[in-house]
Amino acid sequence: MNDFLLAQMVAAERLPNAHESKAAVLAELKSSLAGASGEQRTAALLKRELDLPGETIFLSDVHIPYKEGTAQIDLLLIHEQMVCVLEVKNMVGEFYFDSINFQFHRIIDGRREGMRNPEAQLHRAVRAVSNFLGVSVHGVIVLASRSGKVVEAPKHYPVVSLDYLPFHLEQLMQGSNLFDARALASKLRGLPVRNSSRRWLERHNISFDSLRLGVTCPSCRTCSLDWRERKWKCVVCGFYSQDAHEVALQEYAVLFGDKLDTGLAYRLLGVENKYVLYRLLQGSAIQGDVRGKRQIVEDRQLLREYFGRIYR
Protein backbone atom coordinates (compact mmCIF):
# COMPACT_ATOMS: atom_id res chain seq x y z
CA MET A 1 0.00 0.00 0.00
CA ASN A 2 1.51 3.32 -1.06
CA ASP A 3 0.69 6.62 0.63
CA PHE A 4 -1.96 7.56 -1.92
CA LEU A 5 -3.89 4.33 -1.42
CA LEU A 6 -3.64 4.78 2.34
CA ALA A 7 -4.99 8.34 1.98
CA GLN A 8 -7.97 7.01 0.01
CA MET A 9 -8.64 4.45 2.74
CA VAL A 10 -8.49 7.07 5.49
CA ALA A 11 -10.82 9.42 3.61
CA ALA A 12 -13.28 6.62 2.83
CA GLU A 13 -13.45 5.69 6.52
CA ARG A 14 -13.58 9.19 7.99
CA LEU A 15 -15.77 11.07 5.51
CA PRO A 16 -19.40 11.29 6.63
CA ASN A 17 -21.97 9.83 4.26
CA ALA A 18 -23.41 13.30 3.63
CA HIS A 19 -20.15 14.64 2.17
CA GLU A 20 -20.45 15.59 -1.50
CA SER A 21 -17.50 13.37 -2.53
CA LYS A 22 -18.20 10.29 -0.41
CA ALA A 23 -19.53 8.19 -3.31
CA ALA A 24 -16.71 9.25 -5.63
CA VAL A 25 -14.08 8.47 -2.98
CA LEU A 26 -15.52 4.99 -2.42
CA ALA A 27 -15.62 4.32 -6.17
CA GLU A 28 -12.02 5.46 -6.65
CA LEU A 29 -10.88 3.39 -3.67
CA LYS A 30 -12.54 0.30 -5.15
CA SER A 31 -10.68 0.88 -8.42
CA SER A 32 -7.37 1.49 -6.64
CA LEU A 33 -7.75 -1.67 -4.57
CA ALA A 34 -8.39 -3.70 -7.73
CA GLY A 35 -5.32 -2.18 -9.36
CA ALA A 36 -3.14 -2.81 -6.33
CA SER A 37 -4.34 -6.42 -6.16
CA GLY A 38 -3.41 -6.96 -9.80
CA GLU A 39 0.02 -5.45 -9.32
CA GLN A 40 0.66 -7.58 -6.22
CA ARG A 41 -0.36 -10.76 -8.04
CA THR A 42 1.84 -9.83 -10.99
CA ALA A 43 4.90 -9.18 -8.83
CA ALA A 44 4.33 -12.36 -6.83
CA LEU A 45 3.99 -14.49 -9.97
CA LEU A 46 7.13 -13.07 -11.55
CA LYS A 47 9.19 -13.54 -8.41
CA ARG A 48 8.00 -17.12 -8.26
CA GLU A 49 7.96 -18.15 -11.93
CA LEU A 50 10.28 -15.90 -13.93
CA ASP A 51 13.42 -17.80 -14.90
CA LEU A 52 16.17 -15.32 -15.79
CA PRO A 53 19.91 -15.66 -15.17
CA GLY A 54 21.33 -13.41 -12.48
CA GLU A 55 19.46 -10.85 -10.41
CA THR A 56 16.08 -9.38 -11.35
CA ILE A 57 14.98 -6.20 -9.58
CA PHE A 58 11.31 -5.18 -9.29
CA LEU A 59 10.25 -1.62 -8.46
CA SER A 60 6.61 -0.67 -7.95
CA ASP A 61 4.72 2.63 -7.99
CA VAL A 62 7.64 4.61 -9.42
CA HIS A 63 7.10 8.27 -10.33
CA ILE A 64 9.59 9.49 -12.93
CA PRO A 65 10.01 13.11 -14.07
CA TYR A 66 8.65 13.55 -17.58
CA LYS A 67 8.22 16.86 -19.41
CA GLU A 68 6.22 19.16 -17.12
CA GLY A 69 5.07 16.44 -14.75
CA THR A 70 5.71 12.83 -13.85
CA ALA A 71 4.93 9.41 -15.28
CA GLN A 72 3.63 6.76 -12.89
CA ILE A 73 4.93 3.22 -13.35
CA ASP A 74 2.89 0.28 -12.00
CA LEU A 75 5.73 -2.22 -12.04
CA LEU A 76 9.24 -1.90 -13.44
CA LEU A 77 11.49 -4.87 -14.11
CA ILE A 78 15.24 -4.25 -14.24
CA HIS A 79 17.67 -6.94 -15.37
CA GLU A 80 21.18 -6.83 -16.77
CA GLN A 81 19.77 -7.82 -20.17
CA MET A 82 16.59 -5.75 -20.29
CA VAL A 83 14.45 -3.05 -18.69
CA CYS A 84 10.67 -3.47 -19.01
CA VAL A 85 7.70 -1.36 -17.93
CA LEU A 86 4.61 -3.38 -16.98
CA GLU A 87 1.26 -1.58 -17.25
CA VAL A 88 -0.96 -3.84 -15.14
CA LYS A 89 -4.73 -3.82 -15.76
CA ASN A 90 -6.96 -5.77 -13.40
CA MET A 91 -10.16 -5.28 -15.41
CA VAL A 92 -12.95 -7.48 -16.73
CA GLY A 93 -14.87 -7.31 -19.99
CA GLU A 94 -14.01 -7.13 -23.69
CA PHE A 95 -11.29 -4.62 -24.59
CA TYR A 96 -11.06 -2.56 -27.77
CA PHE A 97 -7.91 -0.60 -28.65
CA ASP A 98 -8.58 1.93 -31.42
CA SER A 99 -5.28 2.09 -33.33
CA ILE A 100 -6.49 4.97 -35.52
CA ASN A 101 -7.66 7.44 -32.88
CA PHE A 102 -5.72 5.75 -30.05
CA GLN A 103 -8.77 5.53 -27.85
CA PHE A 104 -9.84 2.65 -25.64
CA HIS A 105 -13.14 1.24 -24.48
CA ARG A 106 -14.47 -1.94 -22.99
CA ILE A 107 -17.78 -3.78 -23.19
CA ILE A 108 -19.02 -5.10 -19.86
CA ASP A 109 -22.50 -6.50 -19.25
CA GLY A 110 -23.52 -5.12 -22.63
CA ARG A 111 -22.43 -1.56 -21.76
CA ARG A 112 -19.75 0.39 -23.61
CA GLU A 113 -17.38 2.26 -21.27
CA GLY A 114 -14.75 4.67 -22.52
CA MET A 115 -11.58 4.63 -20.42
CA ARG A 116 -8.02 5.92 -20.42
CA ASN A 117 -6.01 4.16 -23.08
CA PRO A 118 -3.53 1.72 -21.44
CA GLU A 119 -1.36 1.85 -24.56
CA ALA A 120 -1.01 5.65 -24.29
CA GLN A 121 -0.25 5.33 -20.57
CA LEU A 122 2.38 2.69 -21.27
CA HIS A 123 3.96 4.66 -24.10
CA ARG A 124 4.36 7.69 -21.84
CA ALA A 125 5.86 5.53 -19.10
CA VAL A 126 8.30 3.83 -21.47
CA ARG A 127 9.45 7.20 -22.83
CA ALA A 128 9.91 8.56 -19.31
CA VAL A 129 11.97 5.59 -18.11
CA SER A 130 14.07 5.54 -21.28
CA ASN A 131 14.81 9.27 -21.08
CA PHE A 132 15.59 9.18 -17.37
CA LEU A 133 17.85 6.14 -17.45
CA GLY A 134 19.26 6.68 -20.93
CA VAL A 135 18.62 3.09 -22.01
CA SER A 136 16.23 1.24 -24.33
CA VAL A 137 13.06 0.06 -22.57
CA HIS A 138 10.43 -2.57 -23.37
CA GLY A 139 6.74 -2.18 -22.50
CA VAL A 140 3.98 -4.72 -21.87
CA ILE A 141 0.29 -4.35 -21.02
CA VAL A 142 -0.54 -7.08 -18.51
CA LEU A 143 -4.06 -8.44 -18.04
CA ALA A 144 -4.17 -9.52 -14.41
CA SER A 145 -7.77 -10.79 -14.55
CA ARG A 146 -8.76 -13.94 -16.41
CA SER A 147 -12.15 -12.29 -17.05
CA GLY A 148 -10.65 -9.78 -19.48
CA LYS A 149 -10.49 -10.43 -23.22
CA VAL A 150 -8.83 -8.38 -25.96
CA VAL A 151 -11.07 -8.09 -29.04
CA GLU A 152 -9.08 -5.37 -30.84
CA ALA A 153 -5.37 -5.36 -29.94
CA PRO A 154 -3.19 -2.25 -29.59
CA LYS A 155 -0.81 -1.31 -32.37
CA HIS A 156 2.51 -0.63 -30.66
CA TYR A 157 2.68 -2.74 -27.48
CA PRO A 158 1.81 -6.35 -26.70
CA VAL A 159 -1.04 -7.32 -24.39
CA VAL A 160 -0.16 -10.39 -22.35
CA SER A 161 -2.20 -12.42 -19.89
CA LEU A 162 -0.71 -12.77 -16.43
CA ASP A 163 -0.24 -16.54 -16.76
CA TYR A 164 1.80 -16.11 -19.95
CA LEU A 165 3.82 -13.11 -18.74
CA PRO A 166 6.91 -14.97 -17.41
CA PHE A 167 7.37 -16.79 -20.73
CA HIS A 168 6.89 -13.54 -22.69
CA LEU A 169 9.54 -11.74 -20.64
CA GLU A 170 11.96 -14.62 -21.01
CA GLN A 171 11.64 -14.24 -24.79
CA LEU A 172 12.74 -10.61 -24.54
CA MET A 173 16.19 -11.53 -23.23
CA GLN A 174 18.99 -10.08 -25.33
CA GLY A 175 21.49 -12.86 -24.63
CA SER A 176 24.21 -10.47 -23.47
CA ASN A 177 24.61 -8.16 -20.51
CA LEU A 178 23.69 -4.59 -21.44
CA PHE A 179 23.03 -2.84 -18.14
CA ASP A 180 24.23 -2.45 -14.59
CA ALA A 181 20.88 -3.36 -13.04
CA ARG A 182 21.77 -2.27 -9.51
CA ALA A 183 23.03 1.11 -10.70
CA LEU A 184 19.82 1.73 -12.65
CA ALA A 185 17.67 0.68 -9.70
CA SER A 186 19.69 2.90 -7.37
CA LYS A 187 19.11 5.90 -9.63
CA LEU A 188 15.38 5.27 -9.57
CA ARG A 189 15.27 4.70 -5.82
CA GLY A 190 16.97 8.06 -5.39
CA LEU A 191 13.98 9.89 -6.84
CA PRO A 192 11.96 11.91 -4.31
CA VAL A 193 8.79 10.25 -3.06
CA ARG A 194 5.78 11.89 -4.70
CA ASN A 195 2.71 12.54 -2.60
CA SER A 196 -0.41 12.67 -4.75
CA SER A 197 -2.74 13.15 -1.79
CA ARG A 198 -2.88 16.95 -1.64
CA ARG A 199 -4.28 17.55 -5.12
CA TRP A 200 -6.65 14.61 -4.69
CA LEU A 201 -7.98 16.08 -1.42
CA GLU A 202 -8.46 19.47 -3.07
CA ARG A 203 -10.29 17.91 -6.03
CA HIS A 204 -12.75 16.22 -3.66
CA ASN A 205 -13.02 19.23 -1.33
CA ILE A 206 -11.75 17.22 1.64
CA SER A 207 -10.39 19.21 4.57
CA PHE A 208 -9.58 18.48 8.19
CA ASP A 209 -12.95 19.92 9.25
CA SER A 210 -14.87 17.71 6.82
CA LEU A 211 -13.68 14.48 8.47
CA ARG A 212 -15.04 12.56 11.42
CA LEU A 213 -12.44 13.29 14.08
CA GLY A 214 -11.36 11.27 17.09
CA VAL A 215 -9.57 7.95 17.54
CA THR A 216 -11.45 5.37 15.50
CA CYS A 217 -12.50 2.14 17.18
CA PRO A 218 -10.81 -0.60 15.10
CA SER A 219 -13.63 -2.97 16.00
CA CYS A 220 -16.69 -0.83 15.20
CA ARG A 221 -14.83 1.45 12.75
CA THR A 222 -17.70 3.94 12.72
CA CYS A 223 -17.34 5.51 16.16
CA SER A 224 -14.60 7.18 18.17
CA LEU A 225 -13.01 5.95 21.37
CA ASP A 226 -13.08 7.74 24.73
CA TRP A 227 -9.95 8.24 26.84
CA ARG A 228 -10.79 6.90 30.31
CA GLU A 229 -8.58 5.63 33.11
CA ARG A 230 -5.50 5.86 30.87
CA LYS A 231 -7.06 3.72 28.17
CA TRP A 232 -8.97 4.21 24.96
CA LYS A 233 -12.39 2.61 25.42
CA CYS A 234 -15.33 2.01 23.10
CA VAL A 235 -18.73 2.48 24.73
CA VAL A 236 -20.37 0.47 21.94
CA CYS A 237 -18.37 -2.78 21.73
CA GLY A 238 -16.14 -2.64 24.80
CA PHE A 239 -12.83 -2.49 22.89
CA TYR A 240 -9.95 -0.91 24.80
CA SER A 241 -6.36 -0.01 24.03
CA GLN A 242 -3.56 2.18 25.32
CA ASP A 243 -2.11 3.14 21.94
CA ALA A 244 -5.03 3.31 19.49
CA HIS A 245 -4.26 7.01 18.94
CA GLU A 246 -1.08 6.04 17.04
CA VAL A 247 -3.20 5.08 14.03
CA ALA A 248 -5.05 8.43 14.12
CA LEU A 249 -1.73 10.31 14.06
CA GLN A 250 -0.54 8.31 11.05
CA GLU A 251 -3.87 8.91 9.31
CA TYR A 252 -3.43 12.64 9.77
CA ALA A 253 0.14 12.46 8.47
CA VAL A 254 -0.77 10.56 5.31
CA LEU A 255 -3.49 13.09 4.49
CA PHE A 256 -2.02 16.40 5.58
CA GLY A 257 1.68 15.86 6.26
CA ASP A 258 3.73 15.20 9.36
CA LYS A 259 3.53 18.75 10.81
CA LEU A 260 0.85 18.87 13.50
CA ASP A 261 -0.43 21.97 15.27
CA THR A 262 -1.16 21.31 18.94
CA GLY A 263 -4.57 22.93 18.61
CA LEU A 264 -5.49 20.46 15.90
CA ALA A 265 -4.09 17.59 17.96
CA TYR A 266 -6.71 18.18 20.68
CA ARG A 267 -9.48 17.92 18.08
CA LEU A 268 -7.90 15.03 16.17
CA LEU A 269 -7.62 12.82 19.25
CA GLY A 270 -10.72 14.13 20.99
CA VAL A 271 -9.06 15.05 24.28
CA GLU A 272 -9.20 18.31 26.28
CA ASN A 273 -6.64 17.89 29.05
CA LYS A 274 -3.22 19.23 28.05
CA TYR A 275 -1.38 16.74 30.28
CA VAL A 276 -3.21 13.82 28.65
CA LEU A 277 -2.36 15.23 25.21
CA TYR A 278 1.28 15.59 26.19
CA ARG A 279 1.48 11.94 27.30
CA LEU A 280 -0.25 10.72 24.14
CA LEU A 281 2.02 12.68 21.82
CA GLN A 282 5.23 11.90 23.65
CA GLY A 283 7.38 9.79 21.36
CA SER A 284 4.82 9.83 18.54
CA ALA A 285 4.75 13.52 17.67
CA ILE A 286 7.98 15.25 18.63
CA GLN A 287 7.92 18.82 19.93
CA GLY A 288 9.40 21.17 17.33
CA ASP A 289 11.47 24.32 17.75
CA VAL A 290 8.33 26.44 17.45
CA ARG A 291 5.94 26.42 20.37
CA GLY A 292 2.72 24.58 19.60
CA LYS A 293 4.15 22.70 16.63
CA ARG A 294 4.94 19.00 16.53
CA GLN A 295 6.25 16.53 13.97
CA ILE A 296 4.61 13.12 13.69
CA VAL A 297 7.10 10.24 13.64
CA GLU A 298 6.38 8.33 10.43
CA ASP A 299 5.20 4.73 10.80
CA ARG A 300 3.33 3.78 7.63
CA GLN A 301 3.59 0.09 8.49
CA LEU A 302 1.18 0.71 11.35
CA LEU A 303 -1.40 1.98 8.85
CA ARG A 304 -0.71 -0.87 6.43
CA GLU A 305 -1.35 -3.40 9.17
CA TYR A 306 -4.49 -1.58 10.32
CA PHE A 307 -6.06 -1.36 6.87
CA GLY A 308 -4.63 -4.73 5.86
CA ARG A 309 -6.99 -6.32 8.40
CA ILE A 310 -9.90 -4.42 6.87
CA TYR A 311 -9.18 -4.86 3.16
CA ARG A 312 -8.05 -8.48 3.02
Side-chain angles (χ1 to χ4, degrees):
M1 299 178 190
N2 58 33
D3 278 7
F4 182 58
L5 180 55
L6 290 172
Q8 290 180 302
M9 291 175 173
V10 175
E13 183 163 290
R14 285 187 175 268
L15 273 180
N17 291 332
H19 191 275
E20 59 187 290
S21 294
K22 178 74 171 191
V25 167
L26 291 174
E28 290 183 24
L29 174 59
K30 181 180 179 180
S31 177
S32 295
L33 286 169
S37 175
E39 292 162 23
Q40 290 168 4
R41 292 204 310 276
T42 301
L45 175 72
L46 292 179
K47 291 174 182 178
R48 185 176 66 250
E49 302 289 342
L50 189 60
D51 186 14
L52 299 179
E55 182 182 18
T56 303
I57 300 172
F58 297 96
L59 301 178
S60 61
D61 191 37
V62 182
H63 295 263
I64 298 180
Y66 184 65
K67 295 187 176 181
E68 299 300 320
T70 60
Q72 189 269 338
I73 317 296
D74 291 340
L75 190 60
L76 184 61
L77 181 154
I78 302 176
H79 186 270
E80 58 191 15
Q81 294 185 32
M82 70 169 170
V83 176
C84 187
V85 174
L86 305 178
E87 180 70 27
V88 182
K89 293 301 175 186
N90 191 20
M91 302 186 300
V92 301
E94 297 180 343
F95 309 138
Y96 296 79
F97 292 83
D98 182 345
S99 296
I100 297 176
N101 299 310
F102 293 98
Q103 295 177 329
F104 173 79
H105 71 272
R106 70 171 174 174
I107 303 294
I108 179 171
D109 297 330
R111 304 188 315 274
R112 183 184 187 277
E113 296 182 352
M115 307 176 71
R116 290 184 64 188
N117 189 343
E119 185 178 25
Q121 293 176 266
L122 178 59
H123 182 65
R124 189 171 188 271
V126 167
R127 290 278 298 272
V129 175
S130 181
N131 291 345
F132 183 74
L133 295 180
V135 301
S136 60
V137 176
H138 294 280
V140 180
I141 299 171
V142 181
L143 298 184
S145 172
R146 292 190 177 94
S147 298
K149 177 184 178 182
V150 177
V151 179
E152 291 183 11
K155 183 176 181 180
H156 297 289
Y157 293 94
V159 180
V160 178
S161 67
L162 181 55
D163 293 335
Y164 183 76
L165 182 61
F167 179 75
H168 176 81
L169 293 175
E170 289 162 10
Q171 300 307 300
L172 296 178
M173 298 295 290
Q174 301 295 316
S176 60
N177 296 345
L178 304 174
F179 313 116
D180 183 337
R182 292 191 178 186
L184 295 181
S186 178
K187 185 175 181 180
L188 290 165
R189 289 186 176 119
L191 287 168
V193 177
R194 182 173 180 267
N195 189 339
S196 306
S197 303
R198 179 171 297 180
R199 292 183 63 183
W200 183 79
L201 292 171
E202 291 174 354
R203 177 161 60 87
H204 287 298
N205 196 28
I206 299 173
S207 66
F208 180 79
D209 289 324
S210 65
L211 302 175
R212 173 184 54 78
L213 302 178
V215 177
T216 302
C217 174
S219 179
C220 299
R221 289 185 50 224
T222 56
C223 63
S224 298
L225 302 172
D226 293 332
W227 180 258
R228 299 178 181 177
E229 300 173 353
R230 298 194 175 188
K231 289 186 179 71
W232 292 107
K233 296 183 178 181
C234 179
V235 298
V236 176
C237 69
F239 171 86
Y240 66 91
S241 166
Q242 291 186 323
D243 59 1
H245 62 284
E246 301 283 1
V247 170
L249 292 172
Q250 295 303 315
E251 289 178 323
Y252 178 91
V254 83
L255 287 180
F256 305 112
D258 59 5
K259 301 297 188 294
L260 177 62
D261 184 89
T262 303
L264 291 182
Y266 282 107
R267 298 174 57 199
L268 173 66
L269 302 184
V271 297
E272 299 179 354
N273 187 295
K274 67 178 182 180
Y275 299 107
V276 170
L277 183 69
Y278 177 82
R279 285 198 301 270
L280 294 175
L281 297 182
Q282 192 174 20
S284 302
I286 302 172
Q287 179 68 53
D289 296 332
V290 179
R291 182 180 177 84
K293 303 291 184 181
R294 288 180 175 265
Q295 180 169 340
I296 298 171
V297 179
E298 182 179 311
D299 186 1
R300 293 291 189 268
Q301 186 57 31
L302 186 65
L303 275 190
R304 294 187 184 100
E305 292 173 358
Y306 173 77
F307 284 111
R309 291 190 291 270
I310 297 171
Y311 298 99
R312 294 180 180 176

